[in-house]
């Protein structure tokens, strides 16, 4: 029997620190001797015994918070300690990271797997391929940590610390060739970090509430009378948690396998979570609709659009989509304005356009001029009056005109349809209000000169287009 075999065959027992040190030196001499006998490099292969002792002396403290049950399944921690004792710290760090990732995946699977995938995987194409515990390996480590942070399984400090260990694992462990050195204290500290933030992981109240809510969404129909009670914890959501919960609800709704109960429940909750989201998150949902539509995923595109329409979120659709839809809505508004009984049907068309434009008045360049002309024309009326149910929407849209749109609106009197409407007392009154709304938006000298000339014009506004002085000022806008 060789010396190595005799050491391996000895019964397992706890050793005093001095005995540990002697044993490490004895084992190192035997192992390096065997390596040299094989003609292989022995210099710099193993960490010094002093560093190994420092690591092993701190293992008990690092594991102190770990329960007996948690220790019993921590196989990679055992391998880490073995590798550290041998003097292979780079391999030890790799084993520690394997234990950390394995435990994070186990916690994710026990919390809400679909919710996690919705947060971790932003690509609709990739997301469709992930559904089971086995698919967790398809989520890379950095996205695993990020998503665990976003759904509340890790707090910001824990995520930061784990990302540091992940970085060191990638640059100083046996996972990749490197020349970096790791000390015994560093290794023990990283073990303590993983134990504290992952292996003994517990949920905070908000994370627990979120988990219960998602479980209930899938199983029980939400009573409308209890919505305020059910969503009371929304008030305690920070931006990160609100965004994650919204993404989870969105994912449940667009799932092709959703049940009617799930769909109904998300429709109840969506208007409650939407006000808590920032613009970047809202545009993200609009972009997901755009990607579904572009990929011809008609069912998911339809579902996602239902949620966006439910909260009047059309202004957050992708610009290309919005340009097409705003163009279509402008046409619809003009059909209503020119049709029979227009005063009664205009409000619906005006509201549709207003929702697409949004509070910021962001209109794609390709349809901006057409939009400004249509809103101005409908605001002025048709000579018989103006739709009182729609005029509020027109006013809101004019108030968000850009300087360029305001300049286009100011020159709308050149249109025969507008000029005709300006002959009526209602049209003239609307024109005067329009000038007041446009004035603070006009920034160019030529626009302000034209406004001043219009203000000083002594005849009725329907005659503006035939005035030679006004015509000369309009020449400045050509080209």
């Amino acid at each position: 029997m060789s010396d190595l075999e005799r050491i391996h065959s000895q019964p397992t027992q706890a050793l005093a620190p001095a005995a540990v040190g002697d044993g490490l030196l004895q084992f190192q001499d035997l192992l390096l001797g065997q390596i040299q006998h094989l003609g292989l490099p022995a210099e710099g292969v193993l960490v010094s015994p002093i560093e190994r002792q420092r690591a092993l002396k701190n293992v008990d403290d690092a594991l102190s918070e770990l329960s007996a049950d948690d220790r019993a399944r921590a196989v990679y921690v055992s391998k880490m300690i073995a590798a550290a004792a041998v003097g292979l710290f780079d391999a030890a760090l790799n084993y520690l990271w394997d234990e950390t990732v394995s435990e994070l995946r186990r916690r994710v699977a026990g919390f809400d797997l679909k919710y996690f995938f919705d947060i971790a995987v932003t690509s609709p194409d990739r997301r469709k391929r992930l559904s089971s515990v086995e698919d967790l390996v398809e989520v890379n480590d950095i996205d695993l940590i990020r998503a665990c942070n976003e759904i509340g399984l890790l707090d910001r400090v824990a995520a930061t610390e784990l990302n540091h260990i992940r970085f060191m694992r990638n640059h100083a462990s046996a996972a990749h060739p490197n020349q970096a050195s790791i000390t015994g204290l560093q290794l023990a500290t990283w073990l303590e970090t993983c134990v504290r933030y992952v292996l003994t992981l517990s949920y905070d109240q908000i994370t627990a509430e979120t988990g219960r809510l998602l479980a209930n969404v899938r199983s029980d129909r939400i009573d409308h009378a209890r919505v305020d009670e059910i969503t009371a914890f929304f008030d305690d959501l920070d931006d990160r948690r609100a965004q994650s919960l919204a993404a989870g609800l969105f994912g449940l709704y667009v799932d092709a396998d959703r049940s009617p109960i799930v769909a109904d429940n998300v429709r109840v909750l969506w208007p409650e979570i939407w006000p808590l989201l920032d613009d970047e998150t809202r545009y993200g949902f609009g972009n997901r609709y755009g990607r579904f539509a572009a990929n011809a995923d008609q069912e998911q595109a339809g579902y996602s659009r239902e949620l966006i329409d439910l909260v009047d979120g059309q202004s957050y659709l992708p610009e290309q989509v919005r340009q097409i839809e705003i163009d279509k809505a402008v046409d619809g508004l003009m059909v209503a304005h020119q049709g029979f009984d227009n005063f009664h049907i205009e409000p619906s068309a005006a509201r549709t356009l207003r929702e697409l434009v949004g509070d910021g008045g962001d209109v794609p360049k390709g349809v901006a001029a057409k939009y400004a002309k249509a809103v101005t024309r409908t605001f002025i009326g048709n000579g018989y009056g103006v739709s009182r149910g729609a005029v509020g929407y027109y006013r809101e849209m004019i108030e968000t005109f850009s300087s360029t749109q305001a300049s286009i609106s100011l020159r709308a009197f050149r249109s025969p349809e507008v000029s005709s409407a300006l002959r009526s007392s209602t049209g003239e009154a609307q024109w005067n209000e329009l000038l007041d709304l446009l004035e603070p938006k006009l920034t160019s000298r030529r626009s302000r000169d034209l406004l001043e000339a219009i203000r000083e014009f002594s005849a009725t506004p329907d005659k503006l287009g035939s005035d030679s002085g006004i015509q000369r000022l309009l020449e400045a806008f050509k080209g």
Side-chain angles (χ1 to χ4, degrees):
M1 179 182 293
S2 70
D3 290 336
L4 286 175
E5 289 172 328
R6 278 196 298 274
I7 291 174
H8 182 71
S9 66
Q10 290 176 357
T12 302
Q13 58 182 335
L15 300 176
V20 171
D22 292 341
L24 292 178
L25 287 172
Q26 181 184 8
F27 181 78
Q28 175 177 286
D29 291 343
L30 290 171
L31 183 59
L32 292 180
Q34 181 68 14
I35 290 173
Q36 288 175 328
H37 175 73
L38 295 171
L40 297 171
E43 185 70 26
V45 172
L46 304 179
V47 176
S48 72
I50 293 176
E51 289 298 334
R52 281 180 264 168
Q53 281 186 282
R54 286 174 179 164
L56 296 177
K57 281 197 311 184
N58 288 282
V59 164
D60 277 347
D61 288 340
L63 296 176
S64 62
E65 298 180 26
L66 206 58
S67 69
D69 289 342
D70 289 334
R71 291 185 189 215
R73 65 168 179 267
V75 175
Y76 286 113
V77 172
S78 297
K79 292 186 176 184
M80 171 208 162
I81 294 172
V86 172
L88 298 173
F89 278 13
D90 49 0
L93 177 55
N94 211 36
Y95 284 130
L96 174 59
W97 189 247
D98 288 344
E99 183 68 46
T100 302
V101 169
S102 176
E103 184 64 16
L104 277 178
R105 289 172 179 165
R106 191 181 74 83
R107 300 299 179 106
V108 163
F111 181 68
D112 194 301
L113 195 57
K114 282 191 173 182
Y115 181 38
F116 170 80
F117 282 137
D118 287 335
I119 306 305
V121 182
T122 56
S123 166
D125 294 335
R126 284 191 60 214
R127 174 63 186 90
K128 287 190 295 187
R129 299 194 294 270
L130 307 178
S131 60
S132 67
V133 173
E134 289 73 23
D135 295 328
L136 282 170
V137 297
E138 300 298 324
V139 179
N140 62 40
D141 294 350
I142 193 167
D143 284 335
L144 174 65
I145 295 172
R146 175 186 57 78
C148 285
N149 173 233
E150 291 183 6
I151 66 178
L153 294 181
L154 297 173
D155 63 24
R156 182 183 60 82
V157 173
T160 300
E161 292 295 326
L162 290 180
N163 267 318
H164 173 66
I165 297 174
R166 179 189 60 80
F167 175 86
M168 294 304 297
R169 181 260 184 186
N170 288 342
H171 293 84
S173 80
H176 305 285
N178 68 85
Q179 299 297 323
S181 61
I182 302 170
T183 69
L185 288 177
Q186 282 178 317
L187 196 60
T189 299
W190 291 335
L191 173 60
E192 181 181 26
T193 296
C194 292
V195 167
R196 175 180 300 173
Y197 292 127
V198 179
L199 304 187
T200 59
L201 182 67
S202 61
Y203 306 149
D204 63 19
Q205 183 64 27
I206 294 177
T207 303
E209 292 277 6
T210 301
R212 280 193 290 271
L213 176 66
L214 292 170
N216 290 337
V217 165
R218 294 190 179 96
S219 59
D220 302 315
R221 193 175 299 277
I222 292 176
D223 183 353
H224 284 256
R226 296 185 58 238
V227 170
D228 290 343
E229 175 189 342
I230 293 169
T231 62
F233 77 95
F234 283 13
D235 293 337
D236 298 320
L237 295 173
D238 57 23
D239 291 345
R240 173 177 56 87
R241 300 284 189 94
Q243 292 160 11
S244 299
L245 179 54
L249 293 174
F250 187 93
L252 288 173
Y253 196 79
V254 302
D255 188 346
D257 298 325
R258 72 182 194 188
S259 69
I261 287 179
V262 168
D264 289 346
N265 287 342
V266 174
R267 281 192 289 265
V268 170
L269 296 172
W270 192 248
E272 304 298 321
I273 197 71
W274 183 260
L276 305 180
L277 307 179
D278 58 21
D279 280 349
E280 181 179 356
T281 304
R282 293 177 178 182
Y283 279 118
F285 291 125
N287 288 335
R288 290 184 69 175
Y289 160 76
R291 293 180 69 171
F292 286 139
N295 292 335
D297 294 327
Q298 296 303 323
E299 187 173 41
Q300 289 187 302
Y303 289 158
S304 57
R305 184 58 189 269
E306 288 174 4
L307 286 185
I308 291 170
D309 290 345
L310 180 62
V311 290
D312 298 335
Q314 294 89 340
S315 62
Y316 295 97
L317 294 171
E319 182 161 313
Q320 184 176 8
V321 174
R322 289 182 63 242
Q323 177 167 322
I324 294 170
E325 297 206 2
I326 288 175
D327 186 69
K328 181 179 177 181
V330 168
D331 289 343
L333 176 60
M334 294 313 301
V335 168
H337 179 67
Q338 296 163 355
F340 177 75
D341 203 19
N342 68 293
F343 292 160
H344 294 290
I345 61 176
E346 268 187 54
S348 176
R351 179 182 176 181
T352 297
L353 181 58
R354 168 69 178 83
E355 290 171 352
L356 281 166
V357 172
D359 292 338
D362 181 22
V363 178
K365 185 176 180 181
V367 75
K370 180 178 180 179
Y371 160 76
K373 291 176 182 178
V375 172
T376 302
R377 183 174 167 186
T378 51
F379 180 77
I380 296 298
N382 60 6
Y384 295 99
V386 64
S387 174
R388 295 302 170 188
V391 72
Y393 296 123
Y394 302 144
R395 187 177 293 110
E396 289 176 1
M397 288 186 275
I398 292 169
E399 286 174 344
T400 63
F401 273 2
S402 67
S403 177
T404 299
Q405 291 164 358
S407 180
I408 292 170
S409 179
L410 180 66
R411 290 171 275 150
F413 61 84
R414 297 180 300 172
S415 161
E417 294 83 6
V418 172
S419 179
S420 175
L422 290 177
R423 294 177 182 177
S424 69
S425 58
T426 299
E428 185 172 356
Q430 291 295 110
W431 174 253
N432 290 331
E433 182 182 355
L434 176 68
L435 296 181
D436 291 338
L437 292 171
L438 297 179
E439 184 169 8
K441 303 177 180 300
L442 300 171
T443 57
S444 69
R445 170 52 56 190
R446 59 184 180 176
S447 293
R448 298 197 67 81
D449 287 345
L450 178 59
L451 175 65
E452 183 179 355
I454 291 173
R455 292 279 200 193
E456 295 174 352
F457 190 67
S458 58
T460 55
D462 60 294
K463 303 293 196 302
L464 282 167
S466 55
D467 181 80
S468 59
I470 297 292
Q471 289 179 353
R472 282 195 297 273
L473 291 172
L474 289 173
E475 289 292 326
F477 294 90
K478 293 183 178 180

